[in-house]
Amino acid sequence: MLTSMNLLLAWLVLSCLFIMGCSDKVSRPDIVNIGAIFTVGTINGKVARIAMNAAVEDVNSNPTILGGSKLVLSIHDSNYSGFFGIMGGLQFMETNTVAIIGPQSSGMAHILSQLANELHVPMLSFTALDPSLASLQYPFFIQTAPNDLFQMTAIADMISYFGYRQVVVVYPDDVQNRGSIIALGEKLAERRCRIAYKALLSPEALATSDQIMNELVKVSMMESRVIIVHAYAAIGLEVFRVASRLSMMDRGYVWIATAWLSTVLDSTSVHGETAKSIQGVLTFRPHTPHSEKKDAFLSRWDKLSNGSINLNPYGLYAYDTVWMIANALKVYMDDGGIISFSNESSNLKNGFGGGPLSLGSLSRFDGGKQLLNNILRTNATGLTGQIAFDLDKFVIHPAFDILNVVGRGYKQIGYWSNYSGLSVVPPETLYSKPPNHSSSNQQLRSVLWPGITTSKPRGWVFPRNGMKLRIGIPNRVSYKAFVSKDDNTNEIHGYCTDVFLTAINLLPYAVPYEFILYGDKHENPSYTELINLITSNVFDAVVGDIAIVTNRTRIVDFTQPYIESGLVVVAPVRKLNSSPWAFLRPFTLSMWLVTGAFFLIVGVVVWILEHKINDEFRGPPKNQLITILWFGFSTMFFAHRENTVSALGRMVLIIWLFVVLIITSSYTASLTSILTVQQLAPSIRGIESLITSNVRIGFQTGSFAENYLSDELNIAESRLIPLGSPEEYADALKKGRVAAIVDERPYVDLFLSNYCTFQVVGQEFTKGGWGFAFPRDSPLAMDLSTAILTLSENGELQKIHDKWLNTRACGQPIYVDSEQLHLKSFWGLFLMCGIACFLALLVYFCSILRKFKRYFPPQSEPSSQSKSRSIKIQRFLSFVDEKEEQSRNKWKRKRVDMISERNIEQVPPEVKEVK
């Protein structure tokens, strides 16, 4: 029985194993087809073909990967033709291909990705890196190398690091490059940089040396000297050869090439004119960290390639891409997935309208979505480092090496990673630290620039179009010390132009310019309109007394301010009418009352403390009252004749005399100011009183003060009166047409130097300065700012100021904000004196109470309790009023009497009888 059961179980186990083996044999095909679309004649095509074949060989030699299935790679040569590449993709989809590596260019990828979406065939490319291919429109397209979005971010970071603001890009105008340049423009804009010009070339097969020559000639005539080349290897090298013939590889230029140049340098040897033409160029290369796997593959490369071509990073990505597909297929088949295809000819024919194309052989990969998900969930370590994707299908930790071409090779000057930006430390060592994109953390090593120099090029020059810099100058009719035209010599001079000319002479290069006056010669021009002429390209810059205000900084760039400025209020002054009660003005009523009260309080406190021991504080009540009043008020002049003998009285008197000293000094200073210094009419105290009043306010024609008063302070425009000259200022103030004038500080200083009957009210209520205006992102603005700082540091700026704006003494603005002295300014002193008086009285009464108990101990009396309390109070008051010596004498007599009575009581009765 037991033996039969064992045989039955063994038969069941063998049956299950046989069924599982048959099932596995059915689900795992002998051959799994993958395809690749490349132009094998290109550098990346050659390297990729060798690397992919090596990867397929390694996958097939490891039976644990596909479990006996053989991976077959078919490579289609697109032969530089987009049409042939598309046809190759269609052929792969006719042969039950589960995945396609490629295509090599983004143009083909955009078209084939649409077909891959329909047939569910994943497409993986490490060379078609157009950022738009990562959109949701192409779910079956995966970029296995860092997207060009990250390379353009690295370029933008490097441009910002070196302080450049404008660049020129040279690239073939095709799908392969257009999307990447759009991404570059966006990343530059985020850093307040921009593409100044796009030199468009025909696609690779159509671009000629003559076309490249024509475009580079245009570039050489432009302002920017920072040039970025994003092209195919053949076109890119020709761009540099032509640039070298045009002397555009000399000093002053900055050339940046994208990763195509590093691919050329890694895989081929450059020499002769080509090597000379790329000296000093900066280029990028996808970063692949060092590892044992990578070193082992490098050691195999010479054998794999037979020395035909050297390895570059894209060969490593090609190898890893094959393994990525293989590992995803392993997971797919291990999970029971079957390699099967469904015919989609009817749907495709309907979509194409039933044409002559043979679409019946195209079929949909049933497991395409699952295989795609397996690829995106990849998390392994390959030759290029960690292989994984984020939620946006980007490879994680995209990074680039930054190379500087020197000789026939290059030197590495740093790295860029999406994690921490520019660094001289390999990115993989930074992943364990918090990301840090701060400007202070961005670092690169020294660069050898074109022209074999280590000095960083300025990055821009004046265009070679023979035109001078058109500088707008306000044609002022007043305050001509700032800027004006000499009618005799037709020269423009003044404080502002002197600063500009002195600063521009400090620049290490020549600046051709011409001054152009703006204005009708009848009134000062509107400075806002003058600034707007820069944005409309009428002027290349504006030099003059231009205030730097918010609205203007939104449309132009300003240099460093060369003089401080701010709005102030100017009003007429007059002496106050004489008054017999002027001596009361220094203190407010509350201050007078509290001060007088303390004179009395201190007199009373000192009288209490001194009355018992000091004869000068004793006498008839009338005399004592006079003494209190006299002593208190005489301390104001330190003329009290009564001496204090008690320690508490002296302490209170010292503190009080200190308070009196502070009060009398403040009173004297305030009264002196009232009687000798000119004062304003009480109604105008500064900008606050102007806002709350309804008086008319004058302002200078053309100044930003009008907009500030109306827009920022909401003052009605009907109250604002335009004035053009200092003479109009004075006349309007004297005749009462305006109650005050609001103008900028430098004008006011010059005005007051000639009109001493006016003065500044309150404080400046805006802070700013004057600068020179240039178009947005103008490099000249930055260089002039540095020159202005140099003038300020060496004292030259002050000399120019003294030459043109030296004012007389009476013109120095007097900031008047005179107010009476309030109690709040002195309450601390009064509090200190009050506490001293309280503590002195407390100590004094405690001492008196102790003495009273000592001199008059309590005695039992038969009278009522209320009568006893009254007697005690009378005794206490009498004791307090008595002089200290009298109280002491009474206490001594009483003590003698008590001793005598005690002795009599102790005598025996018989002795008393004898006596």
Side-chain angles (χ1 to χ4, degrees):
M1 183 69 176
L2 184 61
T3 303
S4 299
M5 289 294 294
N6 290 339
L7 290 173
L8 180 60
L9 288 172
W11 180 80
L12 289 173
V13 170
L14 291 173
S15 299
C16 291
L17 291 174
F18 176 77
I19 293 171
M20 292 176 63
C22 293
S23 174
D24 184 64
K25 185 176 181 180
V26 171
S27 62
R28 291 183 181 269
D30 293 334
I31 294 175
V32 179
N33 293 314
I34 62 174
I37 304 173
F38 281 89
T39 298
V40 295
T42 62
I43 294 175
N44 282 336
K46 294 176 182 178
V47 172
R49 182 176 62 176
I50 298 170
M52 289 187 294
N53 285 329
V56 170
E57 182 181 345
D58 292 345
V59 169
N60 290 333
S61 65
N62 189 344
T64 63
I65 303 300
L66 297 181
S69 297
K70 183 180 180 182
L71 192 66
V72 176
L73 172 68
S74 300
I75 299 178
H76 176 79
D77 185 3
S78 61
N79 196 24
Y80 301 95
S81 171
F83 175 75
F84 288 153
I86 294 170
M87 294 306 298
L90 291 173
Q91 290 176 4
F92 284 140
M93 295 175 185
E94 292 179 355
T95 57
N96 295 341
T97 301
V98 299
I100 297 175
I101 301 175
Q104 187 171 351
S105 68
S106 299
M108 286 186 285
H110 280 280
I111 298 173
L112 290 175
S113 294
Q114 300 285 358
L115 193 57
N117 293 345
E118 294 293 333
L119 300 181
H120 291 186
V121 178
M123 300 187 70
L124 298 85
S125 180
F126 47 86
T127 54
L129 302 175
D130 181 1
S132 63
L133 287 169
S135 66
L136 298 176
Q137 183 182 359
Y138 308 107
F140 279 84
F141 187 83
I142 305 172
Q143 294 167 324
T144 59
N147 185 290
D148 268 354
L149 174 68
F150 300 108
Q151 183 176 194
M152 298 307 162
T153 304
I155 293 175
D157 278 348
M158 190 170 68
I159 294 295
S160 178
Y161 171 81
F162 287 119
Y164 301 130
R165 288 292 175 264
Q166 298 184 50
V167 302
V168 173
V169 291
V170 181
Y171 66 99
D173 188 20
D174 57 13
V175 178
Q176 173 76 4
N177 302 287
R178 196 178 299 123
S180 300
I181 298 303
I182 292 174
L184 174 62
E186 293 174 351
K187 293 302 177 181
L188 287 173
E190 292 175 3
R191 292 152 181 80
R192 288 202 65 186
C193 307
R194 68 185 184 93
I195 298 176
Y197 179 73
K198 296 179 180 179
L200 302 180
L201 306 177
S202 298
E204 185 171 20
L206 302 176
T208 63
S209 295
D210 290 341
Q211 184 194 24
I212 295 173
M213 174 78 74
N214 292 334
E215 285 298 324
L216 290 186
V217 168
K218 295 178 184 177
V219 171
S220 68
M221 302 296 290
M222 293 180 180
E223 181 179 278
S224 177
R225 285 291 184 264
V226 182
I227 306 171
I228 300 171
V229 181
H230 183 60
Y232 308 100
I235 293 181
L237 292 176
E238 184 62 22
V239 167
F240 284 114
R241 283 192 289 267
V242 173
S244 180
R245 291 196 293 270
L246 293 173
S247 299
M248 295 177 66
M249 298 304 300
D250 295 338
R251 293 191 179 191
Y253 281 89
V254 177
W255 286 89
I256 300 172
T258 51
W260 65 267
L261 181 57
S262 66
T263 300
V264 173
L265 296 174
D266 284 334
S267 298
T268 64
S269 59
V270 294
H271 50 79
E273 182 184 356
T274 301
K276 182 180 178 181
S277 66
I278 59 176
Q279 293 300 299
V281 176
L282 295 173
T283 186
F284 291 79
R285 177 178 60 190
H287 176 72
T288 56
H290 293 290
S291 65
E292 294 182 0
K293 286 184 178 182
K294 179 180 174 181
D295 293 340
F297 188 74
L298 287 172
S299 64
R300 294 172 54 195
W301 184 257
D302 286 340
K303 182 178 180 181
L304 293 172
S305 64
N306 293 321
S308 60
I309 194 168
N310 296 327
L311 180 64
N312 64 50
Y314 293 103
L316 303 177
Y317 282 108
Y319 184 91
D320 283 350
T321 300
V322 173
W323 271 97
M324 199 181 303
I325 296 173
N327 287 324
L329 284 170
K330 177 181 184 302
V331 175
Y332 174 77
M333 291 189 288
D334 287 348
D335 291 342
I338 300 174
I339 306 297
S340 62
F341 296 83
S342 301
N343 189 275
E344 293 291 323
S345 59
S346 60
N347 292 336
L348 290 172
K349 286 180 180 178
N350 292 334
F352 277 95
L357 292 175
S358 177
L359 300 175
S361 58
L362 298 180
S363 56
R364 173 180 292 178
F365 179 27
D366 296 329
K369 288 187 177 180
Q370 184 59 45
L371 181 62
L372 175 69
N373 292 333
N374 291 345
I375 293 173
L376 293 176
R377 286 198 295 266
T378 299
N379 191 357
T381 302
L383 301 183
T384 58
Q386 186 178 5
I387 306 172
F389 299 92
D390 60 19
L391 296 178
D392 296 320
K393 295 197 303 181
F394 293 137
V395 294
I396 64 169
H397 302 319
F400 290 87
D401 300 331
I402 304 177
L403 312 176
N404 183 202
V405 181
V406 179
R408 294 186 179 182
Y410 51 77
K411 68 173 183 177
Q412 186 155 348
I413 62 170
Y415 307 87
W416 178 91
S417 69
N418 196 44
Y419 191 75
S420 292
L422 303 174
S423 173
V424 295
V425 180
E428 55 270 17
T429 63
L430 299 175
Y431 295 147
S432 60
K433 303 177 182 178
N436 187 351
H437 287 272
S438 64
S439 58
S440 60
N441 193 57
Q442 307 300 293
Q443 295 181 355
L444 289 176
R445 298 185 183 94
S446 61
V447 178
L448 184 68
W449 301 97
I452 317 301
T453 177
T454 56
S455 299
K456 188 191 81 169
R458 190 171 70 248
W460 70 276
V461 294
F462 288 98
R464 298 181 189 172
N465 51 17
M467 295 180 62
K468 296 180 179 180
L469 198 68
R470 298 163 300 174
I471 300 178
I473 300 288
N475 193 0
R476 296 194 59 88
V477 297
S478 63
Y479 295 111
K480 292 188 175 183
F482 294 103
V483 58
S484 64
K485 178 183 178 181
D486 191 331
D487 294 331
N488 296 323
T489 63
N490 289 329
E491 293 182 354
I492 297 175
H493 55 75
Y495 168 70
C496 301
T497 53
D498 269 16
V499 172
F500 174 77
L501 295 175
T502 308
I504 211 167
N505 287 334
L506 293 180
L507 300 182
Y509 49 88
V511 180
Y513 64 88
E514 61 176 335
F515 289 147
I516 303 174
L517 287 173
Y518 175 76
D520 58 8
K521 299 182 180 180
H522 298 295
E523 63 179 16
N524 296 328
S526 170
Y527 282 28
T528 300
E529 294 177 2
L530 182 58
I531 292 297
N532 288 334
L533 292 178
I534 294 179
T535 62
S536 58
N537 202 31
V538 174
F539 294 131
D540 299 314
V542 170
V543 170
D545 45 338
I546 312 298
I548 303 174
V549 295
T550 303
N551 290 337
R552 295 172 182 173
T553 58
R554 292 171 180 161
I555 58 175
V556 297
D557 280 349
F558 283 93
T559 62
Q560 170 80 15
Y562 57 88
I563 187 174
E564 293 183 357
S565 176
L567 292 179
V568 294
V569 178
V570 179
V573 297
R574 63 178 176 84
K575 285 182 179 288
L576 287 178
N577 294 328
S578 300
S579 170
W581 305 105
F583 69 91
L584 295 176
R585 288 183 54 80
F587 287 166
T588 60
L589 178 61
S590 58
M591 183 67 181
W592 279 118
L593 293 177
V594 172
T595 303
F598 263 85
F599 277 117
L600 292 175
I601 291 172
V602 170
V604 171
V605 170
V606 172
W607 179 83
I608 293 174
L609 298 176
E610 296 290 323
H611 177 70
K612 193 170 181 63
I613 59 176
N614 192 339
D615 290 335
E616 293 184 2
F617 289 87
R618 299 185 64 81
K622 180 180 178 181
N623 292 342
Q624 294 302 298
L625 179 60
I626 293 173
T627 299
I628 292 174
L629 295 175
W630 164 255
F631 181 84
F633 285 99
S634 63
T635 56
M636 179 166 50
F637 310 102
F638 306 97
H640 51 284
R641 63 171 182 264
E642 292 82 8
N643 295 320
T644 53
V645 296
S646 68
L648 292 176
R650 290 176 176 175
M651 179 195 73
V652 170
L653 185 60
I654 289 174
I655 294 175
W656 173 242
L657 291 178
F658 173 74
V659 174
V660 170
L661 176 65
I662 300 299
I663 292 175
T664 54
S665 300
S666 302
Y667 174 86
T668 303
S670 180
L671 183 61
T672 302
S673 176
I674 289 173
L675 297 179
T676 61
V677 180
Q678 291 180 327
Q679 300 289 331
L680 288 173
S683 59
I684 301 176
R685 297 268 178 198
I687 188 62
E688 294 81 5
S689 59
L690 286 180
I691 294 173
T692 57
S693 66
N694 292 319
V695 299
R696 287 172 297 180
I697 305 169
F699 66 90
Q700 184 180 175
T701 303
S703 170
F704 79 96
E706 178 183 11
N707 291 334
Y708 185 87
L709 293 172
S710 60
D711 298 342
E712 301 295 332
L713 303 182
N714 297 319
I715 296 176
E717 293 186 6
S718 59
R719 295 174 53 196
L720 304 178
I721 308 299
L723 301 171
S725 65
E727 293 76 17
E728 288 188 55
Y729 282 14
D731 185 69
L733 288 170
K734 290 177 180 178
K735 295 181 178 180
R737 288 173 48 211
V738 296
I741 291 173
V742 173
D743 206 348
E744 296 177 67
R745 174 73 174 276
Y747 301 125
V748 169
D749 289 350
L750 204 58
F751 170 70
L752 294 179
S753 67
N754 297 313
Y755 295 92
C756 301
T757 56
F758 308 99
Q759 65 184 20
V760 175
V761 184
Q763 303 295 327
E764 290 184 9
F765 54 93
T766 65
K767 293 292 183 181
W770 290 354
F772 306 132
F774 290 87
R776 293 299 297 270
D777 303 319
S778 170
L780 186 56
M782 183 180 299
D783 290 351
L784 270 180
S785 293
T786 304
I788 291 171
L789 287 175
T790 303
L791 293 177
S792 177
E793 292 169 358
N794 62 23
E796 194 67 26
L797 198 61
Q798 185 61 42
K799 293 179 181 177
I800 299 173
H801 180 278
D802 294 341
K803 172 185 174 182
W804 291 98
L805 307 179
N806 192 16
T807 58
R808 297 199 305 267
C810 73
Q812 300 303 318
I814 304 171
Y815 294 94
V816 179
D817 193 14
S818 176
E819 293 185 1
Q820 292 177 303
L821 299 176
H822 292 267
L823 179 61
K824 63 183 179 181
S825 302
F826 300 92
W827 71 267
L829 290 172
F830 290 122
L831 178 63
M832 179 178 64
C833 184
I835 293 174
C837 292
F838 174 77
L839 292 177
L841 290 176
L842 181 63
V843 172
Y844 174 76
F845 281 114
C846 290
S847 174
I848 289 295
L849 203 59
R850 181 178 59 81
K851 290 180 180 180
F852 177 72
K853 290 182 178 180
R854 179 183 177 187
Y855 294 165
F856 299 96
Q859 299 176 0
S860 58
E861 297 181 6
S863 60
S864 64
Q865 185 176 0
S866 60
K867 187 176 181 181
S868 174
R869 184 180 298 111
S870 177
I871 294 173
K872 288 180 179 179
I873 293 174
Q874 291 178 1
R875 286 180 178 177
F876 178 75
L877 293 177
S878 177
F879 175 74
V880 170
D881 185 59
E882 284 180 343
K883 194 173 181 180
E884 181 71 20
E885 294 179 358
Q886 294 178 356
S887 299
R888 190 180 294 111
N889 292 335
K890 285 183 179 180
W891 178 76
K892 288 181 180 180
R893 288 195 299 271
K894 186 176 182 180
R895 184 175 179 82
V896 170
D897 292 341
M898 291 176 62
I899 292 173
S900 300
E901 291 177 1
R902 190 180 300 114
N903 291 337
I904 294 172
E905 290 177 356
Q906 292 178 356
V907 175
E910 58 274 13
V911 175
K912 291 180 180 180
E913 291 178 356
V914 172
K915 288 183 179 180

